[in-house]
Amino acid sequence: MPSQTRSAPADSPAPGVIPDPAGSAAPLARVRDVTSAPTTGTEAGAGEETRGGRFRRVARRTRLHGYAIAAVALVAYLIALAVSNTAHVKVSWVFGASHVALVWLVLFTAILGWLLGLATSARFQWRTRAPRRQGGQSS
């Protein structure tokens, strides 16, 4: 069965009126006339972006690009550091000594320092937290 509506009106007798394809005088549908209806802020600005919103969006995108570039540079630096420090060095412990590749020594100490920093930060935060209220007392 053929459709009774068209996507674009052809030779419309009045703006906003879609003529009947069969040729009768009665219109099939009435298109809303946007020029006569008052617009509210929610209807008109729903898809539009403010200057401040656009500035924040572009600034956030630029910041994310900066973080991505910094991350790539850091990874490239770490790879270059690992490649240039493959020589074996003598590590003297308290009760002995051993030979190990310098890159593994640097990587191990970096990870150990990071974990100790996290543990220290968590411990300080736990020790300096606000005191808890006792029972059902409210201040």
Side-chain angles (χ1 to χ4, degrees), residues 62-114:
T62 303
R63 197 168 44 250
L64 289 174
H65 285 183
Y67 291 151
I69 291 170
V72 168
L74 179 65
V75 168
Y77 177 75
L78 288 175
I79 290 172
L81 179 71
V83 168
S84 65
N85 290 307
T86 55
H88 285 270
V89 293
K90 182 179 179 182
V91 179
S92 182
W93 306 98
V94 177
F95 298 109
S98 64
H99 289 276
V100 67
L102 186 60
V103 65
W104 294 117
L105 182 66
V106 170
L107 186 64
F108 173 74
T109 55
I111 292 173
L112 182 65
W114 177 61

Side-chain angles (χ1 to χ4, degrees), residues 2-87:
S3 175
Q4 293 285 330
T5 60
R6 294 184 186 176
S7 60
D11 300 329
S12 175
V17 177
I18 299 174
D20 183 19
S24 69
L28 287 177
R30 175 131 179 103
V31 178
R32 195 181 101 176
D33 189 10
V34 293
T35 57
S36 63
T39 58
T40 62
T42 57
E43 290 177 7
E48 296 177 14
E49 185 176 38
T50 63
R51 277 182 84 184
R54 181 179 185 282
F55 178 76
R56 283 189 296 275
R57 181 175 53 84
V58 171
R60 183 171 189 262
R61 182 187 305 154
T62 303
R63 197 168 44 250
L64 289 174
H65 285 183
Y67 291 151
I69 291 170
V72 168
L74 179 65
V75 168
Y77 177 75
L78 288 175
I79 290 172
L81 179 71
V83 168
S84 65
N85 290 307
T86 55

Side-chain angles (χ1 to χ4, degrees), residues 117-129:
L118 286 176
T120 303
S121 175
R123 181 72 176 170
F124 283 162
Q125 186 175 8
W126 182 76
R127 297 282 291 192
T128 58
R129 70 184 187 279

